[in-house]
Every structure is written in C-alpha cells, then in structure tokens.
Amino acid sequence: MFKKYRWTIVTMLFLSNAINYVDRSAMSVALPILSKKFSLTPFASGLILSSFFVGYALFNFIGGFLSDVVGPRRVMGYAMAVWSIFCALTAGAFNFISLFFIRVIFGFGEGPLTSTTNKTMNNWIPLKERATAVGICNGGAPIGGALSAPLVAFISLKWGWQAAFLVLGVLGLIWTFSWFKISTDKPNNHPRVSQEELKEITAGRDIAAAQVGSAPAKVSLFSILKQRSILALIVGMFGYNYTLFFFITWFPSYLVEGRHLSISQMGIAAMIPWIAGALGQVAGSMIIDFIYRKTGKVLFSRKVVLVTCLLLAAVCVVLTGFANSAVSAVFFMTLGVCFIYLQATTYWAIIQDLVPSEKVGGTSGFVHSMANISGIFGPALTGWIVQSTGHFAPAFVLAGGLAIIGALAVAFFVKAAKNAGAVAQEQIA
C-alpha cells in the first residue's frame, strides 16, 4: 500500500506538520529565557503567546478558501515560505512590540496548513485510507512538538535563543523547495500516478456520500457553514484547541515556574507528552478506520473516538493542575495529550465525510478559524489567571471544562444529514 505515490504526498505533509509544530512550540520553550531578557510579566508573556493566533485564526479560513480556488499546492508552499522567513526573523526581536508583530505575521503563514492539508488529503486519498492518512499527516505535529522542547532548549543554551529560530527558518525553506518539485494539486495531474492508483483513490466516494448525506457540489459554502453539525463541530474543536494550546503555550513555563525545573530539565520533561501524542495521533486514526470497516458506519466511527477521548483528556488535564510533584504532573499531562491526539483526526474526517469535495477547503478553514479563537484569548487569559492568583491550577480546570463542553456538543449535535439536500437546508432555528 505504502508504495503508491500518494504516500509520498502524505510523507511531505507529515514533515510539514512536524516543522510547523517545532516552529510553533519554539516560542513556548524559549519563553522563560525571553521573559527575563525583555522583563515580561506573566500577562505580557501570555499576550506574546496569543499574538501568534491572531494571524493564525484569520488565515485558517483564508488559506482553506484559497486551497479550493487556486489549489492546495501553491497555498501550502507559499504558507511554509512565509512562516519560515518570520520564524527566522524572530531572532531579530529586541523588545515586546517587535516580538508581538513578528509573531502575528508568523501566524499568518502557519494559518493555512491544516485546512490545506485536509484539502490535499481529500484530493489524494481514498475513503478507506483517509482517516489513517490524515492521522499520519497530523502525526507530524506532536513529533515536531516533542523535538522542539529538547532541540530549542539545547541550541538556546549552547548558541543562544536566536540561533534556534534561524535554524528552524532555514529548515522550512528547504521543505518549500522540495514541495514545489514533487507535488501537484490532484493525482490525475501527476506523471507518477498510475491509472490503477487513480482508480483506487476515487473508489467508494459516491457510496460514502450517499450514506452520510453529503451535499451536492452546487451547494454554497455559506449554507454548509450554517449546518448544526458544523456549528457543533466548531464547539468541539474549540474545546479541543483550547486544551491543546494551553499545553503548547504554557506547559513549559509551568514546569519552570510552577515545578522549578531547569531549562534543560524542562526540555526533556516537556518532550514526554508529545511522544505520547504522536503515538495517539496515528493510533487514533487507525482505530477510526478499523471501527468503520467493522461497522460500516462512517460518522459513528469518528464520533465515538472523539467524544470518549476528549472527555478522558479533560479529566487528565484537570488532574495535572492538582498534581503534587513534577513527575505526577508530567504523567497526567502525558495521558491527557495522548487522549487529545487520539481524537485529533476526527474533526477533519467528519468534515470530509459531510461536505462536498469542492467545499472541503473552505469549510475546514472556517471551522479551524473559529475554533482557533481559543488561541487568541486563551494564552493571555492563562497569563492573567496565573498573575492574579499566583497558581496554575484554575487554568488547568478551565481548560478541562471547555474540553468537556466540546465533547458533549459533538455527542448530541453532530449528525448525518437525512438526505443529499439536507445539508443546505439544516440551519439553526
């Protein structure tokens, strides 16, 4: 199976997600150093962490929409180039304002990644492999996060924090050059895709569309976005993203400030949950496809994994806030991140199942953009909570509570359309 050319595309997207999360997590790892250098309060540190999501959330939708219009190849390539350049420019930051501005533009670049990845998978991957392929692509994220903590900590301590951002920027530009060389928007445009593989990629799509009641291509994007299932999916992803971003942005600082670990100790400790997340990402995708093959129920296979794992993740995150040692905190957060990533693929698989191919990019981008509003205010809110109370525990409780709300929204309101036209008519009363 993995000899087919489509898995080359999957591999490249796996690497793009890994680079994305190394770059994104680098600021969180370097923040304890930068906070001292620029005399940042916890709230100011939270604003720096939130600044990334201002540009990121906006370009989630713009990038997804453009991937439908001009194709995912160019959107992905240009996005990687922009965020890599501004990742490198982070090394030139000299105060709070300059760092804030660079992080906003950096977020612009990273914004299109997930929705464009989803659009590419919709073009290149057959239904029976889709959740697994998306899981592998997105599995690069926790692996990147795992590499980021020790890598950035090591480079920062040995050559200075600026060197870490310069190295990461160059790495992204190398990927960009390779992507433009080996990819196309669709498999039928690629000379290395055989007719046999092309038939495999398109097999079963009409049957799946009839089963879940996905809309015809002529349905407008706006009518899809008003669907109850899509709105509930936004609530679910909001809870998931808030919890994940809380971990990404504040867990390294929590280990240093709340658990009094050194930078080098933090680099190792912060890596452990990411490893569990990487395993969870791939395992969750395979579990989803396994349940689908056994039951023949497309939406059920996604929802049962999403709801169960997001609820378990919420419990683990809350327990982390009340852990009595650094070891127990890392243990509970490791379990929580594993459960978070076990269900991470489900949102994109559900969108691909319920939405016509021509609207997958735009819908993915809108859902991702709305959910990532959590990243705009979440890190700043966490900073305010820590500065006001002197403790991290209330922030852990808030993150877990939002994850529970998200899981319940998906459980009760994400449903298959009753007929092929229902997706266009199902609106909020």
Side-chain angles (χ1 to χ4, degrees), residues 380-400:
L381 178 59
T382 298
W384 178 81
I385 291 172
V386 173
Q387 186 169 313
S388 300
T389 67
H391 300 285
F392 279 89
F396 280 95
V397 172
L398 176 60

Side-chain angles (χ1 to χ4, degrees), residues 100-150:
F100 187 94
F101 174 77
I102 290 170
R103 292 294 292 177
V104 171
I105 307 301
F106 176 71
F108 287 162
E110 287 208 357
L113 175 71
T114 305
S115 55
T116 307
T117 296
N118 208 34
K119 176 67 175 182
T120 306
M121 291 297 93
N122 187 263
N123 287 350
W124 275 85
I125 304 299
L127 177 67
K128 65 180 181 180
E129 299 170 356
R130 193 172 289 166
T132 297
V134 173
I136 292 173
C137 291
N138 293 342
I143 289 177
L147 293 173
S148 183

Side-chain angles (χ1 to χ4, degrees), residues 42 49 71 154 170 212 275 296 305:
L49 296 171
F154 173 77
V170 171
V212 298
I275 295 173
V305 174

Side-chain angles (χ1 to χ4, degrees), residues 229 232-233 288 291 297-311 343 345-347 349-350 353-354 406-416:
S229 292
L233 200 63
I288 291 167
I291 294 173
K297 298 178 180 179
V298 177
L299 192 59
F300 172 79
S301 67
R302 281 64 163 143
K303 283 182 62 176
V304 69
V305 174
L306 189 160
V307 174
T308 302
C309 292
L310 191 54
L311 288 173
Q343 56 87 60
T345 302
T346 56
Y347 305 91
I350 289 172
D353 295 335
L354 294 180
L408 295 178
V410 172
F412 290 106
F413 297 108
V414 174
K415 299 178 180 179

